[in-house]
């Protein structure tokens, strides 16, 4: 297909596109988290309630603690699907649509909503990126308002899941007064926030817990105790039966130790290592990620480096210690 | 002293008492948590900024992760202290003032603010109990408004700590739309919520984390996956350098696994084993504890059994499976 022009748009424009569409395909990013899937389900539910054809297209498995979100919205059987609007949610770059890229491009109009600081939105014709928003869920809440959608408990619970998970239960620095105001509005629909908390946090899969234990066993303190690092091998996945996506929360667990400013989590993949990093206060992990052609936010960033864990580890440790030295200097 | 009349009061009445007072003593409950201490510090800071004499009277040690709250407000040297108003916060019954009862009674006027469903407030002359409030912090926010106090970041951060900790980071069922509205107001003072989250949740001692990992490595699923069990040996304490008290939260961690109804944590002590149990929904762990001369509540109980871990374990497993069978039958 020919290259189409890409434009930063207002939420009002995007709301109009969606209201005018008869069919909409919604694209969460690969390795789904609560924000991408919660936002997708909320939008899909709202569109179907307007009488439109709408689906959430996925290509990997929904993490166990998020399966409650899918009330018949998600499908991974999308070959040849076409729609008036294809909208990607929380998708900071084109690669995160992977096998669904062609279906996305077949949309008569393509849209992206995102909140990542390093967002590369130009793969969509219309895009809205709010780097101040805690989550794509918070942006979606504003979009639904623009569309004139009246929220019900189901939609509110999906948006709540998005905000809850992306703010680490409202404590990450991305949480703002506006995040709490949004959540107060969601409560007014009569949603059951306690049900969501139990689903998300108290139905941990045994396989996931076993994987966490295996990964935590590899934890090592680096840079004089100011940072730490843990790794996951493919063998751990096989032995525990856990899914690759079931490492969410692990790197935050590493960071919760006193004195640790940066945490890094290294995942073995085919011929490469995926690195996820978090900082606690002043360190900027997106600077480290950028050195390895990755990206993210100041306090949450990642990159993918060719090689094995043993090959990659020394470079990551060096870069982390350098960043820690620079903030002390 | 003579018995004084006790009255349910309005926040406006209590605000007037405090505004008229020259000196105020503030009483958090014994075994301080974030709600009682955060509320106490917020009130003390507000009163001192009005030019009054104010202290927070404590009799036990401030937990490590809450020490940041005390900017010179707390004292445990209070013999002979007297004040115009003595106010207890989050204190559901008289016993929780323990050694400070006499000082409290010496107040010209005595007040209680609380939110516990089981509150027995009549030990104070003036009391306000809101069982719908998520926390005493949320009530204190309203009280300061009644008093005409303009919140600053320090006061807001103390109230935020109170609400954050008593709602389990805004997920317990006591959290309401009004909780989130209150927090949005607190943000407007320019408070640093991330700093508080770091202090409260991200200063885990490395020794404690290592102990958790060691204990979790012993986790075994029992009774067909409906229960689990983990053990701590004395050797684990020696090897990790952790303190015996640093196992708090461990048994809840075990319980958070999907399908687990009962969790048991066995601690090796000299010639005996201490057993801590939790249930998730219907099982009654106090019945199990009673079989071994222990006790507790339906969802949290414990007992101490003579012998080694290996000797005690089969009996505990049998009793747990029996309880699970009985609730299914």
């Amino acid at each position: 297909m020919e290259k189409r022009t890409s434009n930063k748009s207002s939420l009002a424009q995007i709301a109009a596109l969606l209201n005018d569409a008869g069919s909409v395909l919604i694209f969460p990013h690969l390795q789904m988290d609560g924000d991408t899937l919660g936002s997708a389900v909320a939008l899909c539910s709202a569109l179907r309630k307007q009488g439109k054809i709408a689906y959430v297209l996925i290509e990997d498995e929904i993490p166990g603690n998020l399966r409650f979100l899918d009330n018949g919205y998600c499908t991974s059987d999308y070959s040849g699907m076409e729609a008036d609007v294809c909208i990607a949610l929380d998708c900071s770059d084109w690669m995160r649509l992977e096998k669904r890229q062609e279906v996305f491009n077949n949309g008569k109009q393509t849209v992206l909503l995102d909140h990542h600081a390093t967002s590369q939105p130009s793969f969509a014709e219309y895009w809205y990126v709010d780097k101040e928003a805690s989550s794509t869920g918070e942006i979606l809440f504003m979009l639904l308002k623009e569309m004139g959608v009246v929220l019900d408990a189901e939609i509110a619970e999906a948006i709540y899941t998005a905000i809850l998970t992306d703010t680490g239960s409202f404590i990450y620095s991305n949480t703002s007064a506006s995040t709490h105001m949004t959540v107060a509005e969601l409560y007014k629909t009569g949603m059951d926030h306690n049900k969501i908390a139990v689903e998300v946090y108290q139905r941990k899969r045994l396989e996931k817990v076993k994987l966490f234990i295996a990964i935590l066993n590899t934890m090592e303190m680096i840079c004089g105790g100011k940072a730490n690092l843990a790794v996951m091998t493919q063998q751990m996945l096989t032995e525990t039966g856990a899914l690759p996506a079931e490492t969410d929360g692990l790197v935050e667990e590493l960071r919760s130790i006193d004195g640790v400013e940066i945490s890094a989590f290294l995942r073995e993949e085919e011929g490469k290592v995926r690195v996820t990093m978090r900082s606690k206060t002043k360190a900027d992990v997106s600077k480290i990620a950028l050195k390895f052609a990755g990206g993210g936010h100041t306090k949450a960033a990642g990159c993918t480096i060719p090689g094995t864990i043993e090959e990659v580890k020394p470079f990551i440790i060096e870069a982390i210690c350098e960043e820690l030295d620079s903030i002390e200097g």
Side-chain angles (χ1 to χ4, degrees), chain A:
Chain A
M1 63 174 269
E2 81 272 40
K3 173 127 182 78
R4 298 188 279 196
T5 321
S6 180
N7 291 300
K8 175 158 174 57
S9 317
S10 67
L11 281 181
Q13 277 179 298
I14 294 170
L17 283 180
L18 288 166
N19 278 337
D20 290 346
S23 58
V24 179
L25 296 178
I26 304 161
F27 296 71
H29 63 67
L30 208 66
Q31 295 197 310
M32 285 175 278
D33 58 18
D35 190 21
T36 200
L37 187 61
S39 300
V41 163
L43 179 58
C44 196
S45 169
L47 293 168
R48 285 195 187 175
K49 282 160 190 165
Q50 290 184 331
K52 300 179 195 300
I53 296 166
Y55 287 96
V56 176
L57 303 198
I58 62 176
E59 62 187 273
D60 49 0
E61 209 175 332
I62 301 176
N65 68 338
L66 297 175
R67 276 188 206 133
F68 73 95
L69 285 169
D70 181 21
N71 296 320
Y73 300 117
C74 299
T75 178
S76 49
D77 176 18
Y78 45 78
S79 60
M81 265 200 184
E82 276 187 41
D84 295 335
V85 173
C86 282
I87 178 166
L89 295 176
D90 200 43
C91 206
S92 55
D93 73 77
W94 179 230
M95 300 312 292
R96 301 189 85 184
L97 293 181
E98 214 169 76
K99 297 180 200 145
R100 297 161 297 163
Q101 288 174 345
E102 197 184 323
V103 185
F104 184 82
N105 269 340
N106 283 341
K108 287 190 192 135
Q109 288 163 319
T110 60
V111 183
L112 167 72
L113 293 190
D114 189 25
H115 74 116
H116 289 95
T118 55
S119 198
Q120 299 181 320
S122 61
F123 66 86
E125 289 166 283
Y126 301 87
W127 52 268
Y128 180 87
V129 177
D130 180 355
K131 296 174 184 180
E132 299 297 312
S134 68
S135 52
T136 297
E138 205 175 321
I139 301 172
L140 194 81
F141 173 82
M142 295 187 288
L143 177 68
L144 295 182
K145 264 195 165 170
E146 284 285 349
M147 290 170 68
V149 169
V150 177
L151 297 193
D152 61 15
E154 188 202 17
I155 298 172
E157 285 171 3
I159 298 177
Y160 179 75
T161 305
I163 299 177
L164 176 76
T165 52
D166 241 36
T167 59
S169 199
F170 311 105
I171 62 171
Y172 296 164
S173 48
N174 59 0
T175 315
S176 68
S178 137
T179 312
H180 284 282
M181 298 288 279
T182 302
V183 171
E185 290 295 315
L186 298 177
Y187 270 71
K188 291 175 186 164
T189 63
M191 70 158 190
D192 186 349
H193 76 276
N194 192 240
K195 180 185 77 184
I196 305 298
V198 168
E199 291 288 349
V200 171
Y201 296 122
Q202 292 176 41
R203 299 231 186 277
K204 288 184 198 157
R205 289 215 315 147
L206 177 59
E207 293 83 353
K208 176 177 174 156
V209 173
K210 285 182 175 167
L211 180 65
F212 261 56
I213 296 172
I215 297 169
L216 287 173
N217 277 322
T218 73
M219 181 181 79
E220 52 186 301
M221 305 302 288
I222 57 174
C223 313
K226 287 175 196 148
N228 58 9
L229 175 150
V231 307
M232 183 187 83
T233 61
Q234 286 296 318
Q235 200 188 345
M236 288 178 191
L237 287 176
T238 315
E239 282 175 4
T240 60
L243 304 169
E246 291 187 302
T247 54
D248 64 290
L250 191 278
V251 69
E252 289 82 5
E253 188 75 28
L254 293 175
R255 184 180 55 179
S256 71
I257 294 172
D258 196 21
V260 169
E261 173 62 23
I262 297 180
S263 289
F265 172 47
L266 278 60
R267 255 174 289 203
E268 181 187 59
E269 294 188 354
E270 184 126 356
K272 60 192 179 186
V273 176
R274 269 189 62 193
V275 182
T276 311
M277 288 173 290
R278 294 289 184 275
S279 77
K280 193 180 273 176
T281 60
K282 289 183 207 154
D284 182 352
V285 285
S286 75
K287 272 165 58 187
I288 303 170
L290 270 174
K291 284 187 185 166
F292 302 99
H297 312 274
T298 314
K299 290 185 178 163
C303 52
T304 302
I305 311 176
T308 67
I309 284 176
E310 288 315 310
E311 285 163 3
V312 163
K313 213 162 82 171
F315 293 99
I316 282 292
I317 293 178
E318 194 189 347
I320 291 173
C321 297
E322 253 177 46
E323 170 60 15
L324 288 169
D325 284 345
S326 82
I327 59 166
E328 287 194 347

